RNA sequence: GCCUGGGUAGCUCAGUCGGUAGAGCAGCGCAUUCGUAAUGCGCAGGUCAGGAGUUCGAAUCUCCUCCCAGGCUCCA
């Protein structure tokens, strides 16, 4: 007999030769029925795996992160089986579980491609395989046997051979260590895989194939491009439906769609990809964002600077950007005197020149220079995406020059400043990411990097937020903290970045005179809070689903007379609001009231004021607020003005706090 | 940049076999005067992304270019 320990600490005595599934049965028939895989001493295994004396065993069911991963991975195998059934001779590469689903990469005979119709056919076959209730059977082979077994599958051979030659960690994972493990559910289909898998295909079924895409083999653009099929899979049809509903919600909020509908901005094709124009309404949102940011920066002790959009090559040679990023810079303009001029992709070197414009004293530090700096980056044509990835953008960019002694305090003040500003824009669910030195593509000594990383890590830990490590994700000149924010539908966006840089001041030989009368090198902090104004606006539009808080709304109030003999009073109300600084317009009564209310609602105006005969006499308005169900009648104009002034001043968004 | 799929009126879309363009919304005009999500009638609106080719004839077939979408790669 053997003893195993369960997650609650209890033990169970079972016969020798017992499998994980038997442990589940010993706990309960219902659990045994739900069980997908087991975790033995923290390692996920098939249910058929034997347990030994002293093992700690827990049973993994579908409605858990581990369970969903297994479901998705097993569904990917079924996808591959279906594709091989439909396209004999297809080559299959890898098919992991990913967030919300799975994918599998293929190469079809005669360089054929999947079409959208093919997805339907494949899904049909997958459902047949599920209905056939095929078991997932594990086998183990030597590497040589594995090479023979998959001799017609070049991608599998490459993976196995990779393991034999030392192998990348991914390859070892794929294969299952120095033993080649495979899963077959029928003689028809066998796949190289570490596992574990669900006991049988019958346990799958709540999945949907989503799309076809090209993907480079091993993620390397110099390698062949494979055909990738993406799918999503869940533990129940309800969970699947909820996921699909979430995708629809994201589509409804898409800033590109809302930007069009709300007349905020557009991308004229005459300008080229990734180059946006802001229409008056979008321009208003943008202006309000920038004005508020400026006011906060003034209060935060920043000085305002301005720099040109083009520069001689020398500047970016000195900064080092041309060494690493020449490909994603617009090509240079060759001018008459043989000089090359570049559009600027970054503001930092310009700000260093301002620092260097005269001798600096330690008394001036920290010196904080801020600029809404427009930069141009030649993003690959396939990479541009709405306002979130553009070729021309404006960064809310600042560079802080300070001493080494000041930097820890400055960074921690800065982090508080950043979070406060983001909260003012209505984001309040954050975590931090610490990005360290890149393996290639970096400059500077190990000591400098170690000090910079240690300082940032200390500051990040002090913020009392979840902290995630992003190994090797730093800039070439220094490590960074990035602030990640979760939006209203739970997606995360990388927003602000704070980078610590010992290199650029050296490259530009920046210095200040300290109390000891000697020259010292300042350190430099790069930081952008919005990231870019364009991208931040896109994130806010999606966060609010277009219902911008009143203080940011392009139009805050629309006044509607009931009949045209009320239009003069409507104008009067609008004029009084305008004197308060409110963005307001009147929609005259040559259409029925219902039609005008409907239009204003579709425009997402926060307040629709309806004025009729009663209001004209009593100097009141009827308030139809965005997100509210019933209009509020007979509110005095002055009362409404006071409420609105307060709401705008506090940056409140009442319809959100009302839960509408 | 690569793979796949797209581009028809300001927007959303229809357009049969290759026979020369259509709806709804928006816009404009007239009528309507109305208390909270669509008043009626009329008018106007198009180099079918652009160019070349095949054809008696091209929105439709072929090629090239531009732009968009979803991925991959990249993201200072």
């Amino acid at each position: 007999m053997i003893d195993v320990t369960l997650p609650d600490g209890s033990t169970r005595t079972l016969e020798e030769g017992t499998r994980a599934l038997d442990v589940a049965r010993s706990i309960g028939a219902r659990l045994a029925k739900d069980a997908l895989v087991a975790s033995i001493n923290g390692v996920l295994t098939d249910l058929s795996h034997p347990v030994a004396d002293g093992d700690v065993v827990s049973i993994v069911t579908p409605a858990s992160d581990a369970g969903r991963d297994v479901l998705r991975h097993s569904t990917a195998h079924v996808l591959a089986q279906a594709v091989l059934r439909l396209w004999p001779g297809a080559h299959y590469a890898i098919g992991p579980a990913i967030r919300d689903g799975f994918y599998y990469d293929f190469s079809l005979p005669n360089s054929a491609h999947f079409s959208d119709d093919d997805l339907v056919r494949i899904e049909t076959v997958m459902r047949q395989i599920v209905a056939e209730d095929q078991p997932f059977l594990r086998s183990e082979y030597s590497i040589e046997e594995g090479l023979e077994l998959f001799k017609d599958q070049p991608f599998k051979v490459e993976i196995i051979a990779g393991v034999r030659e030392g192998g990348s960690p991914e390859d070892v994972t794929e294969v299952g260590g120095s033993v080649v493990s495979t899963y077959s559910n029928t003689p028809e289909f066998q796949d190289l895989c570490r596992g574990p898998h669900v006991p049988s295909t019958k346990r799958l079924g709540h999945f949907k194939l989503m799309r076809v895409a090209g993907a480079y083999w091993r993620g390397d653009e110099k390698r062949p491009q494979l055909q990738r099929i993406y799918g999503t899979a869940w533990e129940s049809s309800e969970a699947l439906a909820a996921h699909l509903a979430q995708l629809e919600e994201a589509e409804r909020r898409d800033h590109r769609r809302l930007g069009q509908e709300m007349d905020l901005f557009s991308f004229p094709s005459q300008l080229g990809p990734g180059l946006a124009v802001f229409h008056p309404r979008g321009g208003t949102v943008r202006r309000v964002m920038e004005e508020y940011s400026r006011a906060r920066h003034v209060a935060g002790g920043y000085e305002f600077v301005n720099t040109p959009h083009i520069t001689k090559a020398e500047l970016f040679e000195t900064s080092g950007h041309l060494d690493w990023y020449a490909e994603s810079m617009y090509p240079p303009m060759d001018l008459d005197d043989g000089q090359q001029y570049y559009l600027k992709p970054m503001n930092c070197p310009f700000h260093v020149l301002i620092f260097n414009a005269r001798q600096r004293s330690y008394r001036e530090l920290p010196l904080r220079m801020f600029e809404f700096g427009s930069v141009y980056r030649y993003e690959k044509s396939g990479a541009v995406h709405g306002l979130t990835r553009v070729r021309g953008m404006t960064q809310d960019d600042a560079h802080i020059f300070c001493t080494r002694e000041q930097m820890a305090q400055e960074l921690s003040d800065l982090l508080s400043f950043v979070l406060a500003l983001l909260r003012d824009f209505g984001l309040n669910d954050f975590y931090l990411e610490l990005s360290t030195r890149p393996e290639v593509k970096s400059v500077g000594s190990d000591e400098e990097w170690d000090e910079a990383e240690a300082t940032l890590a200390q500051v990040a830990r002090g913020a009392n937020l979840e902290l995630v490590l992003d190994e090797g994700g730093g800039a070439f000149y220094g490590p960074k903290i990035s602030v990640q924010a979760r939006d209203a539908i739970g997606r995360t966006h990388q927003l602000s970045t704070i980078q610590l840089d010992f290199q650029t001041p050296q490259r530009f030989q920046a210095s200040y005179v300290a109390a000891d009368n000697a020259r010292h090198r300042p350190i430099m902090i790069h930081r952008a809070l919005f990231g870019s104004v364009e991208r931040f606006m896109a994130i806010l539009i999606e966060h609010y689903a277009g219902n911008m808080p009143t203080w940011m709304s392009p139009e805050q109030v629309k006044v509607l007379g009931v009949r045209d003999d009320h239009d003069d009073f409507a104008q009067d109300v609008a004029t009084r609001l305008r004197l308060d600084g409110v963005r307001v317009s009147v929609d005259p009564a040559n259409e029925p009231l219902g039609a005008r209310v409907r239009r204003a609602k579709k425009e997402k105006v926060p307040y629709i004021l309806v004025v009729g005969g009663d209001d004209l006499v009593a100097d009141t308005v009827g308030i139809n607020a965005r997100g509210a169900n019933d209009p509020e009648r007979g509110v005095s104009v002055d009362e409404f003005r006071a409420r609105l002034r307060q709401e705008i001043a506090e940056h409140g968004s009442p319809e959100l706090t009302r839960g509408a």
Side-chain angles (χ1 to χ4, degrees):
Chain A
M1 300 299 278
I2 59 167
D3 286 334
V4 299
T5 308
L6 300 181
D8 63 0
S10 67
T11 58
R12 217 153 273 252
T13 306
L14 297 155
E15 286 177 27
E16 266 180 66
T18 291
R19 299 163 304 154
L21 179 60
D22 301 315
V23 176
R25 283 190 182 128
S26 80
I27 300 169
R30 180 112 172 250
L31 182 66
K33 189 164 165 281
D34 276 355
L36 287 185
V37 296
S39 163
I40 301 180
N41 303 325
V43 179
L44 290 178
T45 62
D46 294 330
L47 287 174
S48 56
H49 197 278
V51 294
D53 191 39
D55 281 348
V56 179
V57 179
S58 65
I59 303 300
V60 176
T61 54
S64 65
D65 288 346
R68 277 183 286 263
D69 270 1
V70 171
L71 280 177
R72 288 165 186 163
H73 186 193
S74 296
T75 306
H77 274 235
V78 173
L79 165 60
Q81 185 176 356
V83 167
L84 289 176
R85 204 182 264 186
L86 288 166
W87 284 267
H91 294 153
Y92 52 131
I94 57 167
I98 52 172
R99 184 186 161 84
D100 299 335
F102 59 90
Y103 67 80
Y104 215 114
D105 288 345
F106 302 94
S107 162
L108 297 182
N110 309 315
S111 306
H113 292 289
F114 293 119
S115 69
D116 287 346
D117 293 340
D118 290 337
L119 287 188
V120 178
R121 294 170 57 208
I122 295 165
E123 213 175 288
T124 304
V125 174
M126 287 175 71
R127 299 208 185 279
Q128 283 165 13
I129 293 167
V130 167
E132 286 164 16
D133 193 12
Q134 301 177 5
F136 278 84
L137 298 175
R138 182 186 177 91
S139 311
E140 294 184 352
Y141 301 93
S142 70
I143 284 180
E144 296 313 320
E145 287 169 332
L147 288 172
E148 173 62 24
L149 203 57
F150 289 103
K151 63 178 190 296
D152 298 328
Q153 289 294 335
F155 301 113
K156 302 293 179 189
V157 165
E158 189 176 329
I159 293 167
I160 299 171
V163 170
R164 184 178 54 188
E165 283 136 32
S168 67
E170 305 96 75
D171 286 353
V172 174
T173 302
E174 187 75 17
V175 173
S178 55
V179 175
V180 175
S181 64
T182 69
Y183 282 79
S184 56
N185 35 23
T186 63
E188 170 196 52
F189 179 75
Q190 182 166 28
D191 196 1
L192 187 63
C193 183
R194 180 186 54 155
H197 278 288
V198 299
S200 137
T201 57
K202 199 171 191 175
R203 305 301 302 275
L204 311 171
H206 310 294
F207 65 83
K208 181 173 161 55
L209 298 184
M210 303 300 285
R211 56 177 58 98
V212 209
Y216 299 110
W217 168 231
R218 306 239 171 187
D220 183 344
E221 62 183 325
K222 292 180 192 66
R223 302 242 204 174
Q225 194 157 38
L226 307 178
Q227 294 278 299
R228 175 172 296 179
I229 295 178
Y230 281 96
T232 186
W234 296 83
E235 69 272 20
S236 65
S237 53
E238 293 77 22
L240 174 62
H243 174 69
L244 297 177
Q246 157 101 1
L247 292 180
E248 279 174 30
E249 178 61 25
E251 206 171 309
R252 269 193 292 279
R253 288 169 178 255
D254 192 309
H255 74 278
R256 293 166 300 183
R257 174 201 187 104
L258 289 170
Q260 165 82 264
E261 284 175 12
M262 297 174 68
D263 194 17
L264 300 176
F265 53 81
S266 60
F267 293 88
S269 60
Q270 294 90 331
L271 301 189
L275 297 168
V277 292
F278 285 80
H279 303 189
R281 294 167 61 87
T284 299
V285 175
R286 187 177 168 142
R287 193 195 85 226
V288 171
M289 290 169 61
E290 292 181 354
E291 281 174 355
Y292 184 69
S293 167
R294 279 200 186 88
R296 290 300 299 250
H297 280 86
V298 170
Y302 285 80
E303 320 239 23
F304 288 70
V305 299
N306 283 289
T307 63
H309 290 197
I310 61 170
T311 170
K312 289 194 287 191
E314 183 192 336
L315 189 71
F316 289 114
E317 283 162 6
T318 306
S319 73
H321 286 99
L322 271 171
D323 292 340
W324 306 118
Y325 294 108
E327 264 189 20
S328 43
M329 287 166 67
Y330 274 90
M333 291 167 258
D334 283 297
L335 300 186
D336 304 336
D337 58 358
Q339 286 287 354
Q340 294 200 317
Y341 279 79
Y342 280 94
L343 270 171
K344 70 171 170 183
M346 286 295 282
N347 302 301
C348 35
F350 295 83
H351 291 184
V352 186
L353 296 185
I354 296 172
F355 183 89
N356 284 354
R358 63 172 167 79
Q359 181 127 97
R360 297 288 172 179
S361 156
Y362 72 100
R363 296 174 195 277
E364 295 179 75
L365 306 184
L367 180 54
R368 308 181 186 95
M369 291 185 203
F370 179 93
E371 174 178 18
F372 277 112
S374 295
V375 298
Y376 296 89
R377 297 178 179 180
Y378 188 68
E379 301 283 1
K380 288 180 181 176
S381 62
V384 296
H385 179 95
L387 286 180
T388 61
R389 190 85 181 265
V390 289
R391 284 182 168 173
M393 62 174 165
T394 301
Q395 297 179 312
D396 60 329
D397 206 2
H399 297 90
I400 301 171
F401 297 86
C402 66
T403 68
R404 288 203 179 202
E405 294 69 37
Q406 290 168 334
M407 87 185 159
Q409 184 63 48
E410 188 63 23
L411 285 165
S412 109
D413 291 351
L414 177 54
L415 194 51
S416 310
F417 179 79
V418 172
L419 295 173
L421 185 88
L422 295 179
R423 286 196 175 99
D424 287 341
F425 281 96
L427 297 165
N428 42 39
D429 187 358
F430 306 114
Y431 69 94
L432 302 179
E433 198 166 84
L434 177 65
S435 302
T436 57
R437 182 171 194 164
E439 276 191 38
V440 284
K441 243 191 192 184
S442 75
V443 294
S445 73
D446 289 346
E447 294 72 36
E448 287 167 330
W449 275 87
D450 289 346
E451 183 187 351
E453 287 176 8
T455 307
L456 278 181
Q458 178 203 328
V459 168
R461 279 194 297 268
N464 262 333
L465 289 169
E466 186 191 339
L467 179 63
V468 176
L469 189 65
D470 170 31
E471 201 84 56
F476 71 86
Y477 46 73
K480 70 181 181 198
I481 295 177
S482 45
V483 178
Q484 313 275 333
R486 289 188 188 86
D487 70 9
I489 56 172
R491 297 173 301 181
T492 63
H493 306 275
Q494 178 180 311
L495 292 176
S496 320
T497 58
I498 299 174
Q499 300 171 347
L500 191 46
D501 179 6
F502 295 163
Q503 308 308 323
T504 307
Q506 281 172 31
R507 288 173 162 260
F508 283 91
Q509 303 195 7
S511 69
Y512 62 92
V513 178
D516 62 3
N517 198 32
R519 288 182 184 237
H520 293 266
R521 190 78 74 208
I523 66 110
M524 205 172 155
I525 299 167
H526 306 240
R527 36 114 298 169
L529 309 192
F530 294 161
S532 80
V533 180
E534 290 81 359
R535 195 174 96 96
F536 193 59
M537 189 195 287
I539 289 168
L540 290 180
I541 289 169
E542 299 194 359
H543 177 61
Y544 288 114
N547 297 304
M548 309 308 280
T550 305
W551 72 282
M552 292 178 69
S553 282
E555 187 167 32
Q556 298 168 315
V557 177
K558 180 100 78 180
V559 191
L560 314 179
V562 173
R563 283 195 318 263
D564 59 6
D565 50 326
H566 305 131
D567 279 348
D568 284 347
F569 180 62
Q571 284 294 355
D572 177 54
V573 171
T575 301
R576 281 188 274 169
L577 287 165
R578 203 167 287 122
L579 289 172
D580 290 342
V582 172
R583 295 185 288 274
V584 53
S585 69
V586 173
D587 193 355
N590 45 21
E591 278 175 287
L593 181 62
R596 287 176 288 145
V597 169
R598 177 179 143 85
R599 182 161 54 234
K601 288 281 184 189
K602 288 184 74 176
E603 288 170 8
K604 305 181 194 295
V605 177
Y607 292 102
I608 301 164
L609 301 185
V610 173
V611 296
D614 303 344
D615 298 299
L616 202 146
V617 173
D619 197 38
T620 56
V621 294
I623 305 172
N624 190 331
R626 187 176 60 191
N629 294 324
D630 298 313
E632 185 182 355
R633 292 279 298 270
V635 179
S636 86
V637 173
D638 287 334
E639 161 74 14
F640 175 74
R641 287 167 65 193
R643 282 196 219 168
L644 192 60
R645 268 198 302 269
Q646 186 183 0
E647 183 193 330
I648 290 171
E650 290 173 357
H651 288 193
S653 48
E655 70 273 14
L656 293 180
T657 51
R658 265 200 299 268

